[in-house]
Amino acid sequence: MNRILVILTIDTKNLPGNFQEIIKKEREVVAKWKEEGFLDQLFLRQTKNGAILIFKNIDEAKVNQLMPTLPLYQLKKSMEIFPLIKDTEF
């Protein structure tokens, strides 16, 4: 089973006034992705400047298509995508 790791960093110095509304919509999108079975995990960063998303059973092209639909994507400072392979020894 393939995994794709995404590290999303947002610009916390320029948060809009409706940030809490954006967070609410973000949670709805993430819950839908989880329900649809292609989001494996979501971790918030301790620095509160982004998140780590781990996708499963989709390719990098699909991840690139999905990420801009996240409400927080509009605040993106950077985004890194890492396709992963499982080490079968562990």
Side-chain angles (χ1 to χ4, degrees):
M1 181 181 297
N2 74 316
R3 297 281 194 273
I4 298 177
L5 175 90
V6 177
I7 301 173
L8 177 66
T9 303
I10 62 170
D11 182 4
T12 57
K13 293 182 179 167
N14 295 304
L15 296 177
N18 67 337
F19 184 69
Q20 290 305 318
E21 183 180 319
I22 293 170
I23 292 294
K24 181 181 178 210
K25 289 180 181 178
E26 181 86 1
R27 287 185 175 134
E28 291 169 2
V29 171
V30 168
K32 183 177 179 229
W33 289 358
K34 188 84 169 165
E35 183 181 305
E36 291 175 358
F38 53 81
L39 181 65
D40 190 33
Q41 294 289 326
L42 169 71
F43 298 95
L44 301 178
R45 294 169 58 181
Q46 275 189 328
T47 55
K48 298 182 181 178
N49 68 338
I52 310 294
L53 299 97
I54 302 175
F55 292 92
K56 63 181 179 180
N57 299 325
I58 59 173
D59 60 20
E60 190 173 346
K62 182 67 174 176
V63 169
N64 278 310
Q65 181 184 1
L66 288 169
M67 287 304 294
T69 68
L70 276 177
L72 280 178
Y73 189 85
Q74 66 183 323
L75 306 174
K76 175 180 73 85
K77 187 174 186 179
S78 68
M79 183 176 75
E80 297 176 271
I81 298 175
F82 299 96
L84 306 173
I85 55 173
K86 182 169 175 52
D87 184 340
T88 57
E89 296 293 317
F90 295 98

